[in-house]
Amino acid sequence: MSDTPHGGFPRFTPAHPPADFGRLVEALRTIQDLAVSTDLPEEQLAAAADQAEKLAAAMAPYVVPEGASPAGRSLELPGRGSLLLMPWTIEKYGPDGVQSTGVFRRYHLGGNAAAHGGTLPLLFDDLFGLIQHGYGRPRSRTAFLHIDYRAVTPLDQQLRVSGHVTKVEGRKTFIEAVLTDLDGKVLAECNSLMVSLLPGQP
């Protein structure tokens, strides 16, 4: 059984993959963007599908357990090398808060050149995990996450998200964060409750 600070989570260590891993992740992100923004003729569509299937087949023999892949553990890469996470770059990390910058890409489109509203909770939730970790709190799960959408969140424009711990009560960590453009215009505000895990709790 794991110790209390990690509940039932295994301990994951940072990964330092070769540069080609970063190239692969960025290429796959671009493919995601193109997959939702192109209308390929039938011949090119078949060729693209063939290439995608060949790549999947080439990678499949190397599947490893959770925590062994560099995805999500590559701290130097945008989004820590995870295709799930927003490809943002951490600029500040510590007990007084976390700040990162990045863009919502075409893949994140909700409509009318704006980011899908459901992508913002993902951005904030990942940020809150980093914030509580930087604050020195034990491994936690999100109990609630409340977002106030203040303005349309644009695609392909550098934005900034920052947040910090506001209060700690036993196993509870309360966090607030804000998403702005680089001129300081508030696009969304969020607050959350993170609850630390009990020993062995998943």
Side-chain angles (χ1 to χ4, degrees):
M1 178 180 294
S2 300
D3 57 11
T4 300
H6 280 69
F9 270 78
R11 289 182 177 274
F12 296 146
T13 57
H16 304 282
D20 284 339
F21 178 73
R23 288 181 56 220
L24 173 64
V25 172
E26 178 55 30
L28 291 173
R29 285 200 180 105
T30 301
I31 289 171
Q32 288 180 319
D33 291 333
L34 292 170
V36 300
S37 61
T38 56
D39 184 13
L40 296 176
E42 187 172 350
E43 182 177 330
Q44 280 80 8
L45 181 62
D50 287 343
Q51 291 180 32
E53 289 172 353
K54 287 178 182 177
L55 177 60
M59 296 175 69
Y62 302 97
V63 171
V64 293
E66 179 184 358
S69 167
R73 299 189 300 121
S74 301
L75 305 183
E76 299 86 0
L77 294 178
R80 303 194 299 285
S82 170
L83 288 176
L84 173 66
L85 303 179
M86 300 295 122
W88 289 37
T89 301
I90 299 172
E91 297 181 323
K92 170 187 169 185
Y93 173 86
D96 58 342
V98 176
Q99 176 177 289
S100 65
T101 57
V103 303
F104 286 92
R105 299 166 64 137
R106 179 63 180 268
Y107 181 68
H108 307 119
L109 174 66
N112 202 24
H116 192 292
T119 60
L120 272 67
L122 175 59
L123 176 71
F124 281 117
D125 195 42
D126 182 60
L127 179 76
F128 290 156
L130 292 172
I131 289 171
Q132 63 89 31
H133 190 269
Y135 194 78
R137 295 291 288 162
R139 179 80 69 169
S140 302
R141 290 284 195 187
T142 306
F144 73 71
L145 185 151
H146 175 86
I147 296 180
D148 291 312
Y149 296 88
R150 301 299 188 188
V152 171
T153 299
L155 298 185
D156 300 319
Q157 179 178 325
Q158 281 286 328
L159 305 175
R160 177 174 291 118
V161 66
S162 59
H164 60 278
V165 172
T166 59
K167 183 171 60 173
V168 173
E169 295 179 352
R171 294 172 57 209
K172 300 177 180 180
T173 305
F174 296 86
I175 303 174
E176 292 180 354
V178 60
L179 174 67
T180 70
D181 65 18
L182 296 189
D183 292 326
K185 178 182 178 180
V186 175
L187 305 176
E189 296 173 305
C190 188
N191 63 83
S192 175
L193 167 61
M194 308 287 284
V195 179
S196 63
L197 299 176
L198 296 171
Q201 188 174 10

Short mmCIF file of all heavy atoms in Angstrom, two decimals, residues 12-17 21-22 24-25 28-29 59 64-75 77-85:
data_model
loop_
_atom_site.label_atom_id
_atom_site.label_comp_id
_atom_site.label_asym_id
_atom_site.label_seq_id
_atom_site.Cartn_x
_atom_site.Cartn_y
_atom_site.Cartn_z
N PHE A 12 4.92 8.66 -9.54
CA PHE A 12 5.40 8.87 -10.89
C PHE A 12 6.59 9.82 -10.84
O PHE A 12 6.58 10.82 -10.12
CB PHE A 12 4.31 9.48 -11.77
CG PHE A 12 3.12 8.57 -11.97
CD1 PHE A 12 1.85 9.10 -12.09
CD2 PHE A 12 3.29 7.20 -12.04
CE1 PHE A 12 0.75 8.27 -12.28
CE2 PHE A 12 2.20 6.36 -12.23
CZ PHE A 12 0.93 6.90 -12.35
N THR A 13 7.61 9.52 -11.61
CA THR A 13 8.79 10.37 -11.67
C THR A 13 8.81 11.13 -13.01
O THR A 13 8.26 10.64 -14.01
CB THR A 13 10.07 9.53 -11.55
OG1 THR A 13 10.09 8.55 -12.58
CG2 THR A 13 10.12 8.85 -10.18
N PRO A 14 9.42 12.32 -13.06
CA PRO A 14 9.50 13.05 -14.32
C PRO A 14 10.24 12.26 -15.38
O PRO A 14 11.16 11.48 -15.08
CB PRO A 14 10.27 14.32 -13.93
CG PRO A 14 10.05 14.46 -12.46
CD PRO A 14 9.98 13.06 -11.92
N ALA A 15 9.83 12.45 -16.63
CA ALA A 15 10.48 11.78 -17.76
C ALA A 15 11.29 12.80 -18.55
O ALA A 15 10.94 13.98 -18.61
CB ALA A 15 9.44 11.12 -18.66
N HIS A 16 12.36 12.33 -19.16
CA HIS A 16 13.21 13.17 -19.99
C HIS A 16 13.45 12.44 -21.32
O HIS A 16 14.55 11.95 -21.58
CB HIS A 16 14.53 13.47 -19.29
CG HIS A 16 14.35 14.10 -17.93
ND1 HIS A 16 14.04 15.44 -17.77
CD2 HIS A 16 14.40 13.56 -16.69
CE1 HIS A 16 13.92 15.70 -16.47
NE2 HIS A 16 14.13 14.59 -15.80
N PRO A 17 12.39 12.38 -22.16
CA PRO A 17 12.50 11.62 -23.40
C PRO A 17 13.37 12.32 -24.43
O PRO A 17 13.65 13.52 -24.31
CB PRO A 17 11.04 11.55 -23.88
CG PRO A 17 10.43 12.81 -23.36
CD PRO A 17 11.08 13.03 -22.01
N PHE A 21 10.44 12.68 -29.20
CA PHE A 21 9.13 12.50 -28.57
C PHE A 21 8.33 13.80 -28.64
O PHE A 21 7.14 13.80 -28.94
CB PHE A 21 9.26 12.06 -27.11
CG PHE A 21 7.93 11.91 -26.42
CD1 PHE A 21 7.08 10.86 -26.70
CD2 PHE A 21 7.50 12.86 -25.49
CE1 PHE A 21 5.84 10.74 -26.09
CE2 PHE A 21 6.27 12.76 -24.87
CZ PHE A 21 5.44 11.68 -25.16
N GLY A 22 8.99 14.93 -28.37
CA GLY A 22 8.33 16.22 -28.49
C GLY A 22 7.87 16.48 -29.91
O GLY A 22 6.78 17.01 -30.14
N LEU A 24 7.05 14.17 -32.08
CA LEU A 24 5.91 13.28 -32.31
C LEU A 24 4.63 13.87 -31.74
O LEU A 24 3.59 13.91 -32.41
CB LEU A 24 6.18 11.91 -31.69
CG LEU A 24 5.00 10.92 -31.71
CD1 LEU A 24 4.62 10.56 -33.14
CD2 LEU A 24 5.32 9.68 -30.89
N VAL A 25 4.69 14.36 -30.51
CA VAL A 25 3.50 14.91 -29.86
C VAL A 25 2.99 16.13 -30.62
O VAL A 25 1.78 16.27 -30.86
CB VAL A 25 3.79 15.26 -28.39
CG1 VAL A 25 2.61 16.00 -27.77
CG2 VAL A 25 4.07 13.99 -27.59
N LEU A 28 1.33 15.04 -33.82
CA LEU A 28 0.02 14.46 -33.56
C LEU A 28 -1.00 15.54 -33.21
O LEU A 28 -2.18 15.44 -33.60
CB LEU A 28 0.11 13.42 -32.44
CG LEU A 28 0.87 12.14 -32.80
CD1 LEU A 28 1.05 11.25 -31.57
CD2 LEU A 28 0.16 11.37 -33.90
N ARG A 29 -0.57 16.58 -32.51
CA ARG A 29 -1.48 17.69 -32.23
C ARG A 29 -1.89 18.39 -33.53
O ARG A 29 -3.06 18.76 -33.71
CB ARG A 29 -0.83 18.70 -31.28
CG ARG A 29 -0.75 18.24 -29.84
CD ARG A 29 -0.57 19.42 -28.90
NE ARG A 29 -0.51 18.96 -27.52
CZ ARG A 29 0.60 18.89 -26.80
NH1 ARG A 29 1.75 19.26 -27.33
NH2 ARG A 29 0.57 18.47 -25.55
N MET A 59 3.21 1.69 -33.49
CA MET A 59 3.35 2.09 -32.10
C MET A 59 2.77 1.07 -31.13
O MET A 59 3.20 0.98 -29.97
CB MET A 59 2.68 3.45 -31.88
CG MET A 59 3.33 4.59 -32.65
SD MET A 59 2.44 6.17 -32.50
CE MET A 59 2.76 6.57 -30.77
N VAL A 64 2.88 0.64 -22.70
CA VAL A 64 3.42 0.37 -21.37
C VAL A 64 2.37 0.75 -20.33
O VAL A 64 1.40 1.45 -20.63
CB VAL A 64 4.72 1.17 -21.13
CG1 VAL A 64 5.83 0.67 -22.04
CG2 VAL A 64 4.49 2.66 -21.35
N PRO A 65 2.52 0.31 -19.09
CA PRO A 65 1.54 0.65 -18.04
C PRO A 65 1.51 2.14 -17.74
O PRO A 65 2.44 2.89 -18.09
CB PRO A 65 2.03 -0.15 -16.82
CG PRO A 65 2.93 -1.20 -17.37
CD PRO A 65 3.55 -0.62 -18.60
N GLU A 66 0.45 2.57 -17.07
CA GLU A 66 0.32 3.95 -16.63
C GLU A 66 1.55 4.38 -15.84
O GLU A 66 2.02 3.66 -14.96
CB GLU A 66 -0.93 4.11 -15.77
CG GLU A 66 -1.16 5.51 -15.24
CD GLU A 66 -2.35 5.63 -14.31
OE1 GLU A 66 -3.04 4.60 -14.09
OE2 GLU A 66 -2.59 6.73 -13.81
N GLY A 67 2.05 5.55 -16.15
CA GLY A 67 3.20 6.07 -15.42
C GLY A 67 4.53 5.71 -16.03
O GLY A 67 5.57 6.23 -15.62
N ALA A 68 4.54 4.81 -17.03
CA ALA A 68 5.79 4.43 -17.68
C ALA A 68 6.01 5.16 -18.99
O ALA A 68 7.14 5.29 -19.45
CB ALA A 68 5.82 2.91 -17.91
N SER A 69 4.93 5.64 -19.60
CA SER A 69 5.06 6.43 -20.83
C SER A 69 5.52 7.85 -20.47
O SER A 69 5.17 8.37 -19.41
CB SER A 69 3.71 6.50 -21.54
OG SER A 69 3.74 7.49 -22.56
N PRO A 70 6.30 8.49 -21.35
CA PRO A 70 6.69 9.88 -21.08
C PRO A 70 5.52 10.86 -21.18
O PRO A 70 5.63 11.99 -20.70
CB PRO A 70 7.76 10.17 -22.14
CG PRO A 70 7.52 9.17 -23.21
CD PRO A 70 6.98 7.94 -22.54
N ALA A 71 4.41 10.46 -21.79
CA ALA A 71 3.25 11.34 -21.91
C ALA A 71 2.73 11.69 -20.52
O ALA A 71 2.46 10.81 -19.70
CB ALA A 71 2.15 10.66 -22.72
N GLY A 72 2.60 12.99 -20.26
CA GLY A 72 2.13 13.47 -18.96
C GLY A 72 3.22 13.65 -17.93
O GLY A 72 2.99 14.25 -16.88
N ARG A 73 4.42 13.14 -18.23
CA ARG A 73 5.53 13.24 -17.26
C ARG A 73 6.69 14.06 -17.79
O ARG A 73 7.70 14.21 -17.11
CB ARG A 73 6.04 11.84 -16.89
CG ARG A 73 5.00 10.94 -16.24
CD ARG A 73 5.63 9.66 -15.69
NE ARG A 73 6.28 8.87 -16.72
CZ ARG A 73 7.58 8.53 -16.72
NH1 ARG A 73 8.38 8.94 -15.76
NH2 ARG A 73 8.09 7.80 -17.70
N SER A 74 6.55 14.59 -19.00
CA SER A 74 7.63 15.36 -19.62
C SER A 74 7.44 16.84 -19.31
O SER A 74 6.80 17.58 -20.07
CB SER A 74 7.65 15.10 -21.13
OG SER A 74 7.84 13.72 -21.39
N LEU A 75 7.99 17.27 -18.19
CA LEU A 75 7.70 18.59 -17.66
C LEU A 75 8.19 19.72 -18.56
O LEU A 75 7.67 20.84 -18.49
CB LEU A 75 8.32 18.73 -16.26
CG LEU A 75 7.92 17.67 -15.24
CD1 LEU A 75 8.55 17.97 -13.88
CD2 LEU A 75 6.41 17.57 -15.12
N LEU A 77 7.91 19.85 -21.79
CA LEU A 77 7.10 19.97 -22.99
C LEU A 77 5.76 20.64 -22.71
O LEU A 77 5.22 20.51 -21.59
CB LEU A 77 6.84 18.58 -23.59
CG LEU A 77 8.06 17.84 -24.12
CD1 LEU A 77 7.64 16.45 -24.62
CD2 LEU A 77 8.74 18.62 -25.23
N PRO A 78 5.19 21.34 -23.68
CA PRO A 78 3.84 21.88 -23.50
C PRO A 78 2.85 20.78 -23.16
O PRO A 78 2.88 19.71 -23.77
CB PRO A 78 3.53 22.49 -24.88
CG PRO A 78 4.88 22.80 -25.47
CD PRO A 78 5.77 21.69 -24.99
N GLY A 79 2.00 21.04 -22.18
CA GLY A 79 1.05 20.02 -21.76
C GLY A 79 1.70 18.79 -21.19
O GLY A 79 1.08 17.72 -21.11
N ARG A 80 2.97 18.91 -20.79
CA ARG A 80 3.74 17.79 -20.23
C ARG A 80 3.77 16.59 -21.18
O ARG A 80 3.90 15.45 -20.77
CB ARG A 80 3.21 17.40 -18.85
CG ARG A 80 3.23 18.57 -17.86
CD ARG A 80 3.04 18.15 -16.43
NE ARG A 80 1.79 17.49 -16.16
CZ ARG A 80 0.61 18.10 -16.06
NH1 ARG A 80 0.53 19.41 -16.24
NH2 ARG A 80 -0.48 17.43 -15.76
N GLY A 81 3.65 16.88 -22.48
CA GLY A 81 3.75 15.81 -23.47
C GLY A 81 2.51 14.94 -23.58
O GLY A 81 2.55 13.88 -24.19
N SER A 82 1.38 15.40 -23.02
CA SER A 82 0.14 14.64 -23.09
C SER A 82 -0.79 15.25 -24.14
O SER A 82 -1.02 16.47 -24.14
CB SER A 82 -0.57 14.66 -21.73
OG SER A 82 -1.88 14.14 -21.84
N LEU A 83 -1.35 14.42 -25.01
CA LEU A 83 -2.29 14.91 -26.02
C LEU A 83 -3.61 15.33 -25.38
O LEU A 83 -4.34 16.14 -25.95
CB LEU A 83 -2.55 13.83 -27.07
CG LEU A 83 -1.41 13.56 -28.04
CD1 LEU A 83 -1.76 12.40 -28.96
CD2 LEU A 83 -1.09 14.79 -28.87
N LEU A 84 -3.93 14.78 -24.22
CA LEU A 84 -5.19 15.15 -23.55
C LEU A 84 -5.13 16.58 -23.03
O LEU A 84 -6.10 17.32 -23.15
CB LEU A 84 -5.47 14.19 -22.39
CG LEU A 84 -6.66 14.56 -21.49
CD1 LEU A 84 -7.98 14.47 -22.28
CD2 LEU A 84 -6.71 13.66 -20.27
N LEU A 85 -4.00 16.96 -22.47
CA LEU A 85 -3.89 18.26 -21.81
C LEU A 85 -3.67 19.38 -22.81
O LEU A 85 -3.19 19.17 -23.92
CB LEU A 85 -2.74 18.23 -20.81
CG LEU A 85 -2.83 17.15 -19.73
CD1 LEU A 85 -1.62 17.23 -18.82
CD2 LEU A 85 -4.12 17.27 -18.94
#
